[in-house]
Amino acid sequence: MVTANSRAKCSICNKANATCLCSGCSKDFCFQHLTEHRQILDKQLNEIINDHDQFQQTIIQQKQNPLNSSLVQQINQWETNSIETIQQTAQQCRETLMKLTQKSINDVEKKFRELSKKLKEIRQENEFNEIDLNHFQLKLTQMTKEFLQRSNITIRQDSQEFIEKISVISSFKQIQTKKNKYQQSGITVAGGNENGKELYQLSYPQGIFIDNDKSIYIADSNNHRIVKWQLNSNIGQIIAGGNGKGNQNNQLKYPRNIVYDKENNSFLISDRGNGRVIRYFDQNPVNQQTIISNMNCFGLTIDKNGFIYVSNWENHEVRRYQQGDEKGELVAGGNRKGNHLNQLNNPTYIFIDDDYSLYISDTDNHRVMKWEKDAKEGIIVAGGIGEGSSLDQLSYPAGVIVDHLGQIYVADPDNHRVIRWCEGDKEGEIVVGGNHCGSQSNELYFPTGLSFDNEENLYVADCHNHRIQKYQKILN
C-alpha cells in the first residue's frame, strides 16, 4: 500500500478522503475500507493455505495408497468386466456342452439298445457264427469309442481376442526423450576388403563389442577367430582362434558372439560350432577355458551382477548361468518351438538391460521379445505379425541392443536395414540402411551384430559385405 494524492476518492464510498492506494488492485481506499480490503485479502490467503494443505494431504495419501487412484480403479473395473465376460462365455460353453453331451449319450444309448436286442435274439435262437460275432464285436467297439472319445464334440479356442485390450499410455517419454539420429553414410572401421582370411579382411562377421578406447572385437565367424581392430587401424589382431576350424583350446568353430565381463576382466565367446561358451583372458590367452559346454549356443549377454545369459538355438530357450554353473536356469522359452508368448523359435542375439529385462531376437518368429525378470512369458516389442519388409515387420531379426532411452535397435538382415522400435509402438523406424542390399556407404548387405561406443555412435556388423560400419551420431 502506498499513500495517494489527497484528492483521490475511495473506490468503495467514493469520498475524497482516500489516503492509500493498493498496489495489487491499483484502487484507492479510505482508512475504513482499507481495513475491510485487507480482511478480504487475508481471507483469500487463508483459503489458498487451506487448499495448499489439502493438496499436500492428497499427495501423502497417494504415496501411501497408490492403488486408490482413479486410473487404478479404471483398471480394476476393466478386470471385473473382463472376468464377467470370461465367466459368461464359459457358462454358455458349459451349457452347450451339456446339451450336446446328453444328445450324444442318447444317440449311443439308442444304438446300444438295438444291439442288446439283437444279441438277446441270437442267444435265444442259438443261431450265430464267426461272422455274426465279428459284426457284433465291431459294433460294440465303435460304440465304446464314440461314447468315450466324443469325436463329434470339440473345443475350439479362437486366436482373436474377445476381451477388449487395455494398456497404460504415458506422454512422459515423448516429452522427456529425444531420439538419436545418425549419419546415413557409414564409415568402414574394420574389413571391407572382400571376403578373406588376411588380417585386413573379415569373413561373415557376426557379434561385435566396442571398448572404451573404441577398439572393436569381432566374431569373425567363417575365419573361426576373434579379431581386435584398434581405432584407425587398417588391420586386425587375432586374439582368439585363428588356428583353423576345430575344437582344441586354441581353436574356434563359427563363433557367433563376444561380450566383455568387467568383473573378471575377460571376454566370453559363443563358440557355436563347438557347442560351448569360452572365457578368454586378453592378457593371458593360456587361461582360455570352456565354461559352458554341450549346448547349441548362439547369443550372449551379461548383466551388471555378472550373470551370463545364453540363447540356445536348438532348445528354443535362454538360460542364465552363475560362475561355475554348467546347467543354468531357464529364464525364457523352453516350452518347445512355437509362437505363443511363452515360446521361442530359434532365438539368436540377446541383450539385458539394467532392470534385468531380457530382449531376444526370436528369429524364426520374425519378432523381438522382451522377458522381464522372473516372467513366465514375454511381450512382443518389435515385429510379430509375420515375415515382411513393412515398418511393422521384420525378416529373421539378428542383433538387438537397447539405448539409455529404452529405444530398441534391431538388425533386420533380409531387409538390409537397422530398425528402431519403442516399446508399445505399432511400427518401427529405419535408422540406417534400408536402401536395398549393396556395398555403398549408405547400404547394408545382411546386417547382424550391433553395438554402441561410449559416445552412442552405432556400429553394425555388415555380414555379407565382410565389414564393420560405424554410423556417427548427429549432435543436436
Side-chain angles (χ1 to χ4, degrees):
M1 302 289 182
V2 296
T3 302
N5 190 303
S6 58
R7 290 176 297 174
K9 296 182 179 180
C10 173
S11 60
I12 302 297
C13 62
N14 203 28
K15 294 182 179 179
N17 57 349
T19 58
C20 289
L21 173 70
C22 175
S23 58
C25 62
S26 300
K27 292 181 179 180
D28 295 302
F29 296 95
C30 64
F31 285 117
Q32 177 185 348
H33 290 112
L34 175 64
T35 302
E36 293 176 358
H37 183 60
R38 289 298 307 176
Q39 290 173 347
I40 293 172
L41 295 180
D42 288 341
K43 182 179 178 182
Q44 291 175 349
L45 176 61
N46 289 333
E47 289 174 352
I48 293 173
I49 292 173
N50 183 55
D51 290 342
H52 165 273
D53 293 343
Q54 287 183 2
F55 182 60
Q56 184 180 42
Q57 188 62 31
T58 301
I59 293 174
I60 294 171
Q61 290 174 351
Q62 188 66 52
K63 288 177 67 177
Q64 292 174 343
N65 301 290
L67 295 180
N68 286 341
S69 74
S70 60
L71 295 175
V72 172
Q73 290 173 9
Q74 289 182 42
I75 296 173
N76 293 343
Q77 187 61 51
W78 170 85
E79 180 183 29
T80 300
N81 294 341
S82 298
I83 291 172
E84 289 178 358
T85 301
I86 292 171
Q87 290 174 335
Q88 290 171 2
T89 304
Q91 184 59 29
Q92 290 170 0
C93 288
R94 277 191 288 266
E95 292 172 359
T96 301
L97 179 60
M98 293 300 292
K99 292 177 182 178
L100 293 173
T101 301
Q102 190 59 51
K103 183 180 184 304
S104 176
I105 293 172
N106 293 340
D107 291 343
V108 172
E109 209 171 21
K110 181 179 178 182
K111 294 176 183 178
F112 183 71
R113 283 195 300 267
E114 292 174 357
L115 181 65
S116 300
K117 181 180 178 182
K118 290 180 181 179
L119 277 173
K120 186 177 180 181
E121 288 174 354
I122 65 167
R123 179 174 288 280
Q124 289 175 348
E125 296 172 358
N126 200 23
E127 291 184 5
F128 55 88
N129 55 34
E130 288 86 355
I131 296 175
D132 295 322
L133 294 178
N134 289 337
H135 173 75
F136 284 120
Q137 182 61 59
L138 180 61
K139 284 286 186 182
L140 187 59
T141 301
Q142 288 175 341
M143 278 189 231
T144 303
K145 183 178 179 181
E146 182 180 343
F147 184 77
L148 295 178
Q149 294 185 355
R150 307 275 167 81
S151 59
N152 57 346
I153 305 174
T154 58
I155 302 297
R156 183 186 71 187
Q157 295 188 42
D158 293 333
S159 59
Q160 292 186 345
E161 296 152 341
F162 68 93
I163 297 174
E164 186 176 344
K165 272 192 172 182
I166 188 173
S167 60
V168 178
I169 301 172
S170 170
S171 60
F172 289 138
K173 181 173 287 188
Q174 287 79 356
I175 294 173
Q176 296 173 354
T177 63
K178 197 168 188 178
K179 297 177 182 178
N180 290 337
K181 294 183 179 179
Y182 296 91
Q183 298 286 351
Q184 293 304 293
S185 293
I187 304 168
T188 301
V189 290
N193 300 299
E194 300 183 343
N195 181 15
K197 62 182 179 180
E198 302 299 329
L199 290 179
Y200 58 85
Q201 294 177 308
L202 297 170
S203 181
Y204 298 98
Q206 301 282 331
I208 52 177
F209 166 76
I210 319 297
D211 68 15
N212 289 333
D213 296 325
K214 295 185 176 58
S215 291
I216 310 166
Y217 295 79
I218 308 163
D220 190 10
S221 183
N222 282 26
N223 282 326
H224 316 291
R225 66 190 184 187
I226 302 297
V227 184
K228 175 183 178 180
W229 285 64
Q230 293 182 322
L231 181 64
N232 299 325
S233 177
N234 293 320
I235 61 172
Q237 169 193 353
I238 300 172
I239 66 167
N243 297 299
K245 178 171 64 175
N247 60 5
Q248 301 301 312
N249 283 338
N250 66 343
Q251 292 180 308
L252 297 170
K253 185 178 180 182
Y254 301 110
R256 284 293 189 264
N257 248 279
I258 178 169
V259 296
Y260 181 63
D261 181 356
K262 295 180 186 176
E263 189 174 331
N264 294 286
N265 191 26
S266 62
F267 290 95
L268 301 175
I269 302 167
S270 172
D271 188 17
R272 186 187 172 201
N274 287 318
R276 64 187 180 182
V277 175
I278 290 174
R279 184 182 297 281
Y280 174 83
F281 294 88
D282 193 11
Q283 303 302 321
N284 191 358
V286 176
N287 287 335
Q288 179 174 312
Q289 56 187 244
T290 299
I291 59 173
I292 304 170
S293 58
N294 300 317
M295 71 173 301
N296 198 328
C297 56
F298 197 115
L300 270 181
T301 191
I302 188 167
D303 68 24
K304 58 188 178 183
N305 292 327
F307 286 88
I308 303 165
Y309 299 73
V310 186
S311 65
N312 188 318
W313 170 282
E314 185 176 36
N315 290 347
H316 314 288
E317 67 182 23
V318 178
R319 286 187 172 270
R320 177 175 58 206
Y321 297 82
Q322 300 183 59
Q323 300 292 336
D325 175 18
E326 275 227 9
K327 183 179 179 182
E329 176 189 0
L330 181 69
V331 293
N335 297 300
R336 296 178 296 180
K337 178 171 68 175
N339 62 2
H340 294 294
L341 294 181
N342 67 340
Q343 293 178 307
L344 298 170
N345 188 357
N346 294 337
T348 55
Y349 293 81
I350 55 178
F351 178 89
I352 192 92
D353 67 16
D354 287 340
D355 295 326
Y356 307 100
S357 290
L358 185 65
Y359 296 80
I360 305 167
S361 270
D362 191 11
T363 299
D364 284 13
N365 279 329
H366 312 291
R367 67 188 186 185
V368 174
M369 302 292 290
K370 176 183 178 182
W371 287 64
E372 296 181 344
K373 185 180 179 183
D374 300 325
K376 299 301 180 186
E377 62 180 32
I379 59 174
I380 301 171
V381 293
I385 59 171
E387 179 188 3
S389 59
S390 300
L391 290 178
D392 57 354
Q393 293 179 302
L394 297 169
S395 182
Y396 299 98
V400 56
I401 53 177
V402 181
D403 66 15
H404 70 284
L405 300 176
Q407 305 288 328
I408 305 158
Y409 293 70
V410 186
D412 193 12
D414 280 11
N415 291 318
H416 315 291
R417 65 190 183 186
V418 176
I419 194 163
R420 177 171 56 198
W421 293 66
C422 179
E423 184 177 337
D425 284 354
K426 300 249 181 230
E427 61 181 32
E429 59 177 330
I430 297 173
V431 179
V432 295
N435 301 306
H436 307 292
C437 67
S439 59
Q440 300 300 314
S441 61
N442 67 337
E443 295 175 322
L444 294 169
Y445 188 7
F446 205 85
T448 52
L450 302 177
S451 187
F452 292 118
D453 65 18
N454 52 12
E455 294 180 348
E456 296 183 324
N457 297 307
L458 177 65
Y459 293 72
V460 181
D462 191 11
C463 185
H464 288 192
N465 279 325
H466 315 290
R467 66 186 183 183
I468 308 300
Q469 294 291 92
K470 174 184 177 181
Y471 295 89
Q472 290 185 310
K473 175 185 172 183
I474 299 174
L475 299 178
N476 295 316

